[in-house]
Amino acid sequence: MRISEWGTTPSGETVHRLVLGSAPGAVLHVLTLGATVHRLEVEAGGPRRNIALGHRDPADYLGSSDYIGGTIGRYANRIAGGRTTLDGDELTLGAHDRGNHLHGGPDGFDRRVWEVADAGEDHAVLRLVSPDGDQGFPGTVRAQVTFTVTGHAVGVELEATTDAPTLVNLTSHAYFNLDGDGAGTIDEHRLTVPAERYTPVDATGIPLGDHAPVAGTAFDFRRPAAIGPRVRRDEEQIVLARGIDHNYVVDGEGWRTAAVLESPAAGTRLILRSDQPGLQVYTGNFLDGSRRTAQGGLYRQGDGIALEPQLHPDSPNRPEWPSAVLRPGETYRCRLEWELSAIGR
Ligand code: GLA
């Protein structure tokens, strides 16, 4: 593991970069700002390249609403109107996305500088204390993320505890482009999501009602399909989100494959495994050329895809769905893994 100073936030905090793993295996660059996946170098069938999107400096991360690579908390995805109840108490949460709570609020975990609690050649543990009342959430939450690089795989373990009942739904908002960051769009990537149902949403990204079958829609990725044609289908749910920005109900339970992403051009496959009930698939719909890449270029629509294991959106207002409530004495856990390989091997 190598740790170095990477930059300074506009408010004067130092941001460190940790480098985990070694070639020819995966090499992961993590920033203490947002416990962010900043760069992921792999071979896996193609030439050695970076397959994770990332910005150039702390100000670019903090000036962006794209959540590139960040660790999201306390609550990934949306809560309708930023309002819900917990044990009978009304909560009013930071709501900065078309009137809804999104990804922990205007000052979510992805915007904080995390402390390095432990680090070695192939792993790092980062911690963050979120005070009582943070973004409207009750309880002091202690969050921890562990990144582990093993050969061509990266594991991410997200954990949290609290001193009062609260809501927790953490995820990684890493974006991938298997052809390499800056190599164009993910239109030709083939995606598989083993899910019979997804969650249709309204124009602000809030679930309309219950989950719905993917069969017969642009959202059916039960068999591998190229992404480009799907996000150009004139179907209402695609139009509303300008592509795919939807939550899937991943078939099965427990530790399992949540998605497979392949680039036939690069000859590379990424298998995402997780233990979460839902998977937000976001095809980079709002990347609009206004934010810089780490190389100093600009991100445009579809330049990367985020595959975010998590609970279903607005779950605090949907008691019939898996619960985000965390109580004192309990430990929240979300595990995920990205495994890279050459296609056909
Ligand atoms: C999530 C949301 C999207 C968008 C991206 C970041 O995936 O669901 O609507 O906000 O984050 O831009």
Side-chain angles (χ1 to χ4, degrees):
M1 190 272 312
R2 288 141 277 165
I3 184 164
S4 55
E5 284 190 14
W6 184 73
T8 308
T9 66
S11 66
E13 285 181 282
T14 301
V15 177
H16 287 88
R17 181 187 63 182
L18 298 102
V19 180
L20 311 176
S22 56
V27 172
L28 175 71
H29 294 205
V30 171
L31 303 178
T32 54
L33 175 62
T36 292
V37 169
H38 173 61
R39 189 176 170 86
L40 178 58
E41 296 164 5
V42 300
E43 285 159 31
R48 198 157 184 87
R49 64 212 182 275
N50 168 36
I51 61 161
L53 275 56
H55 290 303
R56 201 171 59 169
D57 56 33
D60 278 359
Y61 277 102
L62 291 167
S64 163
S65 53
D66 299 322
Y67 302 91
I68 289 191
T71 294
I72 306 298
R74 291 186 190 186
Y75 188 90
N77 217 313
R78 297 181 173 80
I79 297 174
R83 293 185 170 277
T84 188
T85 54
L86 177 60
D87 296 340
D89 293 335
E90 278 256 332
L91 301 186
T92 304
L93 308 169
H96 66 301
D97 183 74
R98 295 170 284 179
N100 300 316
H101 176 85
L102 175 67
H103 291 341
D107 187 24
F109 288 6
D110 60 293
R111 305 173 62 84
R112 313 284 171 84
V113 176
W114 294 54
E115 173 205 339
V116 180
D118 183 26
E121 285 301 310
D122 58 3
H123 78 281
V125 181
L126 281 75
R127 287 195 186 135
L128 181 74
V129 178
S130 165
D132 179 35
D134 194 359
Q135 310 300 297
F137 291 101
T140 303
V141 163
R142 293 173 191 278
Q144 174 172 301
V145 51
T146 305
F147 294 97
T148 309
V149 177
T150 311
H152 301 281
V154 177
V156 183
E157 189 167 1
L158 302 148
E159 294 168 89
T161 56
T162 183
D163 64 1
T166 191
L167 301 168
V168 175
N169 178 30
L170 308 181
T171 194
S172 169
H173 209 298
Y175 285 73
F176 297 105
N177 184 324
L178 299 180
D179 297 336
D181 179 32
T185 73
I186 46 94
D187 278 355
E188 307 290 325
H189 283 39
R190 290 161 67 81
L191 178 66
T192 312
V193 179
E196 284 185 14
R197 291 176 300 155
Y198 79 114
T199 312
V201 292
D202 68 15
T204 72
I206 296 298
L208 282 174
D210 207 351
H211 309 304
V214 294
T217 75
F219 297 89
D220 189 351
F221 285 95
R222 289 173 296 175
R223 290 166 168 279
I227 294 168
R230 296 301 184 87
V231 296
R232 286 171 179 77
R233 276 210 205 163
D234 186 8
E235 290 180 19
E236 190 188 5
Q237 283 294 310
I238 294 286
V239 172
L240 283 176
R242 301 191 184 177
I244 300 172
D245 185 6
H246 289 76
N247 205 268
Y248 283 81
V249 184
V250 180
D251 293 345
E253 275 179 27
W255 184 246
R256 61 206 187 285
T257 297
V260 180
L261 185 67
E262 295 174 324
S263 164
T268 299
R269 170 183 296 136
L270 180 151
I271 300 175
L272 165 65
R273 298 187 184 89
S274 114
D275 57 6
Q276 294 298 296
L279 176 75
Q280 186 80 8
V281 175
Y282 173 58
T283 49
N285 314 337
F286 306 116
L287 300 173
D288 62 0
S290 63
R291 320 245 194 248
R292 280 180 295 198
T293 75
Q295 289 75 36
L298 298 172
Y299 284 124
R300 296 183 61 83
Q301 195 173 44
D303 278 356
I305 181 172
L307 300 165
E308 315 156 39
Q310 56 187 241
L311 299 174
H312 305 307
D314 201 26
S315 55
N317 292 317
R318 305 277 170 162
E320 66 280 21
W321 292 350
S323 171
V325 177
L326 182 71
R327 297 185 182 280
E330 299 173 346
T331 301
Y332 163 92
R333 280 197 182 83
C334 162
R335 259 179 82 206
L336 59 111
E337 178 187 71
W338 306 303
E339 188 191 358
L340 280 306
S341 60
I343 292 175
R345 266 180 244 165

